[in-house]
Amino acid sequence: MEKRFIELMKNFEPMQKTVAVAVSGGIDSMALVLLAEIWAKKNGYGIVALTVDHGLRKESKQEAKTVKSWLKKHNIEHHILTNRKKTIPQNNLMEYAREVRYELISKWCKKNKVLELLVAHHAEDQAETFLLRLERGSGVDGLSAMHPESRLHGIRIIRPLLEINKSFLIEYLKSRNQKWIEDPTNYNEKYKRNSLRAALAKISAYEPALTQRINKTAKNMSRARQALEQVAEKYQRESIDFFPSGYAIADLKILRDLPEEITLRILKSTLHRISKTESYLRLDELERLYSKIIGNKNFTGCTLWGCKIMPYKSQNILIMREYAAISKLSSINRGEEIIWDKRFIVSLHKESYITHLNIKILKKSEFSDFFKSLSEIEQKRIAKLIPKDVIETIPFFVTKSNNNSLENIMAVPHINYYRDKKFRRLLSCEAVDSVSKKSSGLSLVHSGNMI
């Protein structure tokens, strides 16, 4: 088992010096962390185990301590991350636990400059995910199930056990005389995944190859997804113009002539690139958008996934950030670098004569006043530079956020406005993607990437 794991890990190298491992204390994660420890020693890496105490069961705190004591015997560094949220939802507890888990782990990883996280999803988990997606009516992306690696909150998520059956993990723990924790939540069939797990186990009792066959189908779907992505990437370069100010213009004529599957992928990629939203976009939502903009000559506009989509000129569609979804107010201090609205990297030079700036977006009425205060030449320049509707989505840098006086506006980099021209070299505001017009590269968030 250890030799096979070491071979599997070659698919994900090279990695950073230290790799994190998510460890709940169950069979899967305990096997993973012990295998990872062997791999790390043989290949010159370090590992750190992270256990999340969700606070959903009274036993969870003690279980986290038990995991810590087990790993201490193996000299594995271990940290317990505790959920401090006071409000726990009554519904969708599994989804809530998942969100808490990855939020806490990703924050720890970023703080400690650990960029890779190993998680213990195995062959049965993959089969369950496929069946869940099938039940929901997912397309090719959904049925490709979990990918061996993906990204979430800026962390590289690695799943080295996707080809390994749980039975092998149990045998490995027994060979190491290692105990594990049984979470009763995993057997509560009121949760759909658990009921599917029970059904899959019953069928597999007389059809042992079922899990492998389902996983083979998922792998075939993944191969089909990759081929479709390559085609979509080609046509995205031809049909979508991306602009550094954080918006895109789509050529409706090209999109209408493409197969529906390709256009759906281009739309999904573009929406994600504009909004940077990490939430899941349902296929039926995307299909409804397609019907609105492709099959409806009277399309007047709509919002989806943190974006505003609207007609633009004759045969184009403008895709921009939705005003209501933007972080309305933020700030930056001298010498700092921050990411604003997940879209722009902002830095205020350490030599700046202004020590603090607020970042805000202007309401249409506020921008109207600002626009009128400019010279006629400046007004014409800005009108040519950026669509009027996009103005309400770009950051304005102001000295006082609670005072709407125009004199407080220090800079608006995306329309090349600086109250003091000397300040131009002291403030930087660039797109996270560093995108340019006719940018290449498909930036899809696949349902298969969801953890």
Side-chain angles (χ1 to χ4, degrees):
M1 186 67 199
E2 291 170 356
K3 288 182 179 179
R4 187 179 180 189
F5 183 81
I6 290 171
E7 284 299 310
L8 288 170
M9 286 298 291
K10 289 180 181 178
N11 297 322
F12 307 104
E13 295 177 350
M15 286 181 270
Q16 298 293 313
K17 186 176 180 181
T18 301
V19 178
V21 186
V23 185
S24 66
I27 293 168
D28 320 333
S29 62
M30 284 305 301
L32 175 64
V33 72
L34 296 188
L35 288 166
E37 192 256 346
I38 298 293
W39 161 80
K41 282 184 177 178
K42 287 185 177 294
N43 291 277
Y45 289 98
I47 65 166
V48 55
L50 304 174
T51 299
V52 173
D53 174 9
H54 299 85
L56 299 177
R57 295 183 297 112
K58 61 182 180 180
E59 303 90 352
S60 63
K61 185 175 182 180
Q62 183 55 49
E63 288 173 351
K65 290 181 179 179
T66 299
V67 172
K68 191 175 196 68
S69 67
W70 286 341
L71 297 186
K72 186 176 181 180
K73 294 177 182 178
H74 296 282
N75 295 315
I76 296 174
E77 182 182 347
H78 178 261
H79 299 273
I80 298 173
L81 312 179
T82 304
N83 178 23
R84 305 291 182 188
K85 293 182 179 180
K86 303 291 185 183
T87 305
I88 296 176
Q90 297 300 311
N91 300 314
N92 299 322
L93 274 181
M94 298 284 269
E95 180 63 22
Y96 169 78
R98 175 194 174 278
E99 289 176 358
V100 166
R101 181 161 60 253
Y102 286 101
E103 179 184 339
L104 290 175
I105 289 177
S106 62
K107 281 183 179 179
W108 187 95
C109 287
K110 287 179 180 179
K111 182 178 179 181
N112 292 276
K113 296 181 172 54
V114 175
L115 302 181
E116 282 113 355
L117 173 72
L118 304 186
V119 295
H121 295 125
H122 50 72
E124 282 84 355
D125 290 327
Q126 182 75 311
E128 292 162 15
T129 300
F130 178 91
L131 293 174
L132 280 170
R133 304 274 173 77
L134 185 65
E135 188 267 341
R136 293 172 186 164
S138 295
V140 172
D141 287 2
L143 296 181
S144 64
M146 291 183 285
H147 301 170
E149 63 176 284
S150 59
R151 300 193 73 83
L152 185 68
H153 303 313
I155 304 300
R156 183 184 176 206
I157 310 295
I158 296 172
R159 304 177 180 87
L161 300 179
L162 281 182
E163 297 179 7
I164 308 295
N165 287 87
K166 189 168 186 171
S167 59
F168 290 107
L169 302 179
I170 294 173
E171 289 303 314
Y172 179 69
L173 289 183
K174 288 180 178 178
S175 72
R176 297 284 302 268
N177 294 316
Q178 177 61 59
K179 297 178 181 179
W180 62 82
I181 294 167
E182 293 284 0
D183 183 349
T185 307
N186 292 333
Y187 301 96
N188 188 337
E189 293 192 23
K190 77 174 185 179
Y191 300 113
K192 188 171 289 186
R193 180 177 283 274
N194 292 348
S195 60
L196 268 176
R197 180 180 300 136
L200 188 61
K202 289 177 182 177
I203 299 172
S204 297
Y206 60 86
E207 192 64 56
L210 179 62
T211 296
Q212 281 70 30
R213 289 171 183 168
I214 292 174
N215 287 355
K216 184 178 180 182
T217 300
K219 186 174 285 189
N220 291 340
M221 288 293 183
S222 181
R223 187 171 61 244
R225 172 188 57 77
Q226 291 171 15
L228 289 167
E229 281 180 7
Q230 289 178 10
V231 176
E233 180 177 345
K234 174 183 180 294
Y235 284 106
Q236 186 187 48
R237 288 195 293 267
E238 296 180 10
S239 61
I240 308 292
D241 284 351
F242 289 100
F243 295 85
S245 301
Y247 69 98
I249 295 176
D251 188 321
L252 197 53
K253 187 178 183 302
I254 296 177
L255 293 180
R256 279 186 175 139
D257 289 340
L258 292 173
E260 182 176 347
E261 178 67 25
I262 301 303
T263 299
L264 287 171
R265 289 172 179 276
I266 291 172
L267 290 173
K268 184 177 183 180
S269 168
T270 304
L271 291 174
H272 173 249
R273 193 164 191 167
I274 298 303
S275 71
K276 296 294 183 293
T277 302
E278 291 181 323
S279 61
Y280 175 61
L281 177 61
R282 291 168 57 94
L283 179 60
D284 57 357
E285 293 177 307
L286 195 59
E287 288 172 337
R288 283 196 292 271
L289 175 64
Y290 176 88
S291 297
K292 287 178 181 178
I293 67 174
I294 302 298
N296 182 3
K297 293 182 179 180
N298 299 317
F299 175 63
T300 58
C302 65
T303 59
L304 179 64
W305 220 22
C307 292
K308 183 177 181 180
I309 305 103
M310 57 195 297
Y312 185 70
K313 296 184 177 178
S314 57
Q315 286 291 318
N316 292 326
I317 293 291
L318 175 65
I319 302 175
M320 53 184 269
R321 190 77 165 104
E322 181 186 2
Y323 180 87
I326 299 175
S327 307
K328 297 299 185 294
L329 183 64
S330 186
S331 62
I332 185 168
N333 296 314
R334 182 169 56 194
E336 276 189 340
E337 180 177 276
I338 65 168
I339 295 180
W340 181 79
D341 194 41
K342 299 181 182 179
R343 297 184 294 148
F344 299 112
I345 299 174
V346 180
S347 60
L348 185 58
H349 201 282
K350 62 182 179 180
E351 295 179 1
S352 170
Y353 57 85
I354 295 179
T355 61
H356 178 87
L357 281 173
N358 289 297
I359 309 172
K360 65 180 293 187
I361 52 177
L362 299 190
K363 297 176 182 177
K364 287 185 178 180
S365 59
E366 292 175 324
F367 177 73
S368 179
D369 292 340
F370 167 73
F371 194 72
K372 289 175 183 176
S373 72
L374 303 175
S375 68
E376 187 175 345
I377 294 175
E378 278 291 280
Q379 290 180 10
K380 288 181 179 179
R381 181 186 67 79
I382 292 171
K384 290 180 180 179
L385 187 64
I386 188 170
K388 185 177 180 181
D389 290 288
V390 176
I391 294 289
E392 66 181 33
T393 72
I394 61 176
F396 280 64
F397 293 85
V398 300
T399 52
K400 294 180 182 178
S401 62
N402 58 352
N403 188 323
N404 291 331
S405 172
L406 298 180
E407 295 179 358
N408 292 322
I409 299 175
M410 191 68 193
V412 192
H414 289 109
I415 57 174
N416 199 25
Y417 171 85
Y418 296 87
R419 197 172 75 195
D420 177 0
K421 291 182 179 180
K422 295 178 182 179
F423 197 63
R424 189 190 308 269
R425 66 179 183 83
L426 301 175
L427 177 69
S428 172
C429 182
E430 297 183 357
V432 168
D433 298 312
S434 296
V435 296
S436 59
K437 191 174 182 181
K438 288 288 186 186
S439 175
S440 64
L442 204 64
S443 177
L444 284 170
V445 172
H446 307 291
S447 55
N449 281 353
M450 304 308 287
I451 298 172

